[in-house]
Amino acid sequence: MKKILSTPVMSLPPLSRLMNNDVFSYMCKFLPPKSLYALQLVSRRLNVLSTAYSMAPYYKISAANIPNHESIIKWMKEHPISLAMQSNLSKLSLFLINYYSIPKNLALANLHFFKHSVQAPNLPLIFSSSSTHLVVLKNNTILKWNNPTSLDETNTVLPNLLKPLPIMAHQIKSVFNTNSAFCIETKNGTIHAWGQPIEGGNTPNISKHKQIQKIVSTNSSFAILYTDGCIQPWGHSRKGGCLPDLLKDKKVLDIHPNQVEFFVHVDTNEIKKWSSLSDLKTVTTLPENEQIDSWHSNSQASVVLLKSGKIHAWGHDLYGGVTPTIPEECTVISITKNDRAFVAHLNDKTIVTWGNPDYGGTLPDMPKDTHVLSIIATNNAFTAHLNDDTLISWGQEMSGGVAPLLEKGINVTAIRANNFSFVAILNNKKAITWGRTGLSEKDTLVPDTATIKDVFSIGMHHCAILSDNRLVFWGEKLNNKMKFVPFYTLIDPPKAGPVKAVIPTNKEFLLYISSKLLLSFNPSLNKLVELPIPDGNEIAYWE
């Protein structure tokens, strides 16, 4: 285990944590003393960024689509803040975006996770599970598409019209999903579920006198945590969907999902987990008087970041289940994880790594006089963006553990990752990729006649939007023999218009063209597929 100098990385810390941080002090250089109130006003926007970047690695969404600098400015103009204050906060938001390498040009895209969609204003109401896409229309009808596996001659997949929602689109607060069911939480505290009943598709009865604190989901079940400490799961009875009797008398302080089970922090400071009725286990006990700030899990280990700035880990030691030593004078700001290792980011600008050494649990020697600007993970490797705009990677080489050397004068502006490869966007508007990329020597990532706008990544796939509105897709896909094979596709600009947003889903990319047209690119089909909106209807937006 090593420590290196770094700045806080990838996930933007909550504002409460920044209060005692050098970064917060630096940000305040942009603001007069009386502006902290205005900073609190804009904290909702900043918290969206924090949520996006802290949750994205867990759900393997590296190119999370988040509200950008312009949307923050728009929000500020709609609130009673002086022009001088707007200018100062504009500088602040721009600083945050640049300092944390947050993409600037993603205002129209929604933040889509495989398991959870986080709401943001003026974004299309589009949700995806492992097998289904759902779109909410302005007339409150839901359109459903299954992920296409075969097409007719028109390359069109016709949707199924589901029954209208019992609520208005503007009432939707957030959306959660299992593999085959969805659950909407409304702004007035009700929920509505649909899909396969065995995986949570039936709406449970909830008390009108209880207030929802949190909703989470595994692959097969949902669970509600109420403000009174009670929890209510539903879905698959063997995968977390039933509440164990021994937990009914416990006050739950927090809840966290894994793929097939739930973890809960109860008022005795124990962490318990269950998947079936008879499977309730105590996995660890937290130090006294500690509360959980955030949870981070891979398949065999978990880590919680406590509100005191300490961390607590449990699980398999070769997956990061042993709590590392953190200097007493330091606090942890955020955590990044891959499948077998973790990285903790400390307030003294150091980072600590632990877990399997071959998968990123130990760091390589760092260049002198450098520190880390951002860090991102594939399944089995990490890449750090250094302050001299170079890269360093460590972990499994086939997962991107060896970074390419950059030519002199070429700098990195942003980094993306899928399960097994990284992509760096460069200051010359080109890109490089390394790891298990799926590219051959003859494949040109960015043609000479074009530059790159942005890259989106999910699963085994990447998608790049070029300056001439062409699209590049590459990575690996399953063939008819269920083996992964490389693919590369360069597609002309869609005839219906340029792509305004890319929404990565579990198996494909959804391309938002307009409120009346979506396209899909599924690597198995290797072509664009039209997902039409019925005549007279349009896609609804978050409000």
Side-chain angles (χ1 to χ4, degrees):
M1 182 172 63
K2 292 184 179 181
K3 291 201 316 175
I4 66 165
L5 287 175
S6 79
T7 56
V9 290
M10 197 55 191
S11 55
L12 182 64
L15 290 178
S16 59
R17 290 195 171 277
L18 287 174
M19 294 300 291
N20 297 315
N21 192 292
D22 291 345
V23 176
F24 183 79
S25 299
Y26 182 70
M27 288 192 301
C28 286
K29 292 180 181 180
F30 294 120
L31 303 171
K34 293 182 179 180
S35 65
L36 291 182
Y37 175 69
L39 179 58
Q40 292 173 351
L41 291 179
V42 82
S43 65
R44 291 183 184 179
R45 286 293 188 191
L46 304 182
N47 191 51
V48 172
L49 305 184
S50 175
T51 301
Y53 273 79
S54 62
M55 293 180 68
Y58 177 76
Y59 294 111
K60 296 183 174 63
I61 304 294
S62 57
N65 306 330
I66 59 176
N68 69 358
H69 174 62
E70 286 74 19
S71 67
I72 294 175
I73 293 175
K74 180 180 178 181
W75 181 88
M76 291 189 295
K77 289 180 178 179
E78 294 172 351
H79 290 74
I81 305 174
S82 68
L83 292 176
M85 192 64 67
Q86 289 179 24
S87 175
N88 286 325
L89 289 173
S90 173
K91 293 176 183 178
L92 168 62
S93 63
L94 186 59
F95 161 73
L96 291 169
I97 289 165
N98 290 335
Y99 194 79
Y100 290 95
S101 299
I102 296 173
K104 297 180 183 179
N105 58 340
L106 302 176
L108 287 176
N110 199 355
L111 176 58
H112 280 265
F113 295 124
F114 171 48
K115 312 217 20 105
H116 177 202
S117 294
V118 177
Q119 67 117 5
N122 303 316
L123 305 177
L125 281 164
I126 303 171
F127 316 108
S128 295
S129 69
S130 59
S131 60
T132 303
H133 306 311
L134 294 180
V135 176
V136 180
L137 302 182
K138 289 185 177 179
N139 66 357
N140 275 21
T141 301
I142 297 178
L143 294 184
K144 171 186 174 183
W145 290 277
N146 293 327
N147 287 341
T149 55
S150 61
L151 299 173
D152 58 21
E153 295 179 354
T154 64
N155 287 339
T156 299
V157 177
L158 295 178
N160 297 317
L161 262 128
L162 304 183
K163 62 181 181 181
L165 283 172
I167 58 171
M168 300 298 289
H170 66 82
Q171 294 177 301
I172 297 176
K173 179 180 178 182
S174 56
V175 179
F176 306 82
N177 67 274
T178 60
N179 284 340
S180 60
F182 292 84
C183 174
I184 284 180
E185 178 187 9
T186 69
K187 294 175 182 177
N188 62 5
T190 61
I191 62 170
H192 301 275
W194 69 94
Q196 292 296 323
I198 193 173
E199 293 192 336
N202 288 334
T203 301
N205 294 321
I206 65 174
S207 172
K208 295 180 180 179
H209 305 291
K210 289 182 179 289
Q211 184 177 353
I212 295 174
Q213 177 177 323
K214 187 177 184 180
I215 299 177
V216 293
S217 64
T218 67
N219 288 351
S220 304
S221 299
F222 298 100
I224 299 173
L225 170 61
Y226 295 103
T227 54
D228 63 0
C230 295
I231 56 174
Q232 182 176 1
W234 76 98
H236 200 298
S237 60
R238 296 181 181 178
K239 297 180 180 179
C242 290
L243 183 64
D245 289 337
L246 293 176
L247 200 56
K248 291 180 180 179
D249 296 329
K250 298 287 186 181
K251 182 178 180 180
V252 176
L253 304 177
D254 201 1
I255 186 169
H256 174 71
N258 211 332
Q259 291 186 352
V260 296
E261 59 196 0
F262 292 109
F263 291 95
V264 290
H265 177 206
V266 298
D267 57 358
T268 56
N269 252 16
E270 296 172 307
I271 302 291
K272 297 179 179 290
K273 73 171 184 177
W274 85 94
S275 54
S276 62
L277 278 172
S278 59
D279 194 34
L280 183 67
K281 298 177 181 178
T282 299
V283 294
T284 191
T285 301
L286 298 181
E288 289 187 12
N289 301 318
E290 289 285 6
Q291 293 181 312
I292 294 175
D293 186 76
S294 60
W295 303 69
H296 310 268
S297 299
N298 57 34
S299 60
Q300 299 291 328
S302 296
V303 180
V304 289
L305 172 57
L306 305 175
K307 291 186 177 180
S308 65
K310 299 177 181 179
I311 59 175
H312 187 85
W314 67 91
H316 197 298
D317 56 353
L318 284 178
Y319 286 75
V322 177
T323 304
T325 301
I326 303 294
E328 291 186 4
E329 66 276 12
C330 294
T331 57
V332 177
I333 293 177
S334 60
I335 295 172
T336 303
K337 67 96 185 177
N338 68 18
D339 280 358
R340 301 193 185 191
F342 295 88
V343 180
H345 320 290
L346 312 183
N347 65 336
D348 67 348
K349 302 182 181 181
T350 65
I351 66 175
V352 173
T353 65
W354 72 101
N356 192 313
D358 295 331
Y359 291 80
T362 57
L363 283 168
D365 294 332
M366 302 293 292
K368 291 183 179 180
D369 302 320
T370 61
H371 55 263
V372 175
L373 294 179
S374 64
I375 191 167
I376 193 169
T378 59
N379 281 7
N380 303 315
F382 297 100
T383 287
H385 179 192
L386 305 182
N387 65 314
D388 60 358
D389 287 324
T390 60
L391 300 166
I392 188 166
S393 300
W394 66 99
Q396 288 285 300
E397 182 176 356
M398 285 300 292
S399 293
V402 178
L405 295 175
L406 300 178
E407 298 179 8
K408 188 175 181 180
I410 299 299
N411 300 325
V412 175
T413 61
I415 307 172
R416 309 284 185 258
N418 66 14
N419 288 357
F420 295 105
S421 62
F422 296 100
V423 180
I425 302 173
L426 307 176
N427 61 339
N428 61 0
K429 302 298 183 181
K430 299 294 183 177
I432 54 173
T433 183
W434 66 101
R436 191 169 157 184
T437 66
L439 292 176
S440 66
E441 293 182 359
K442 66 179 181 179
D443 296 327
T444 302
L445 186 56
V446 183
D448 293 337
T449 58
T451 57
I452 202 162
K453 287 184 176 180
D454 208 344
V455 175
F456 302 81
S457 306
I458 185 69
M460 301 287 286
H461 317 132
H462 296 288
C463 166
I465 302 179
L466 303 182
S467 56
D468 57 9
N469 292 320
R470 285 185 292 176
L471 302 166
V472 181
F473 300 91
W474 76 97
E476 294 189 358
K477 63 180 181 180
L478 285 172
N479 63 11
N480 294 333
K481 298 181 180 179
M482 299 304 291
K483 292 183 177 181
F484 282 106
V485 295
F487 77 94
Y488 169 87
T489 305
L490 177 63
I491 293 180
D492 289 335
K495 295 180 180 179
V499 175
K500 295 179 180 177
V502 176
I503 303 168
T505 70
N506 188 45
K507 296 181 180 179
E508 60 194 307
F509 293 96
L510 293 182
L511 310 176
Y512 177 76
I513 305 298
S514 70
S515 61
K516 297 183 179 181
L517 179 63
L518 287 172
L519 299 178
S520 165
F521 180 85
N522 187 311
S524 298
L525 301 173
N526 205 31
K527 63 175 69 174
L528 285 180
V529 176
E530 183 176 342
L531 305 178
I533 306 300
D535 291 342
N537 284 298
E538 294 185 25
I539 300 173
Y541 290 81
W542 291 106
E543 295 184 9

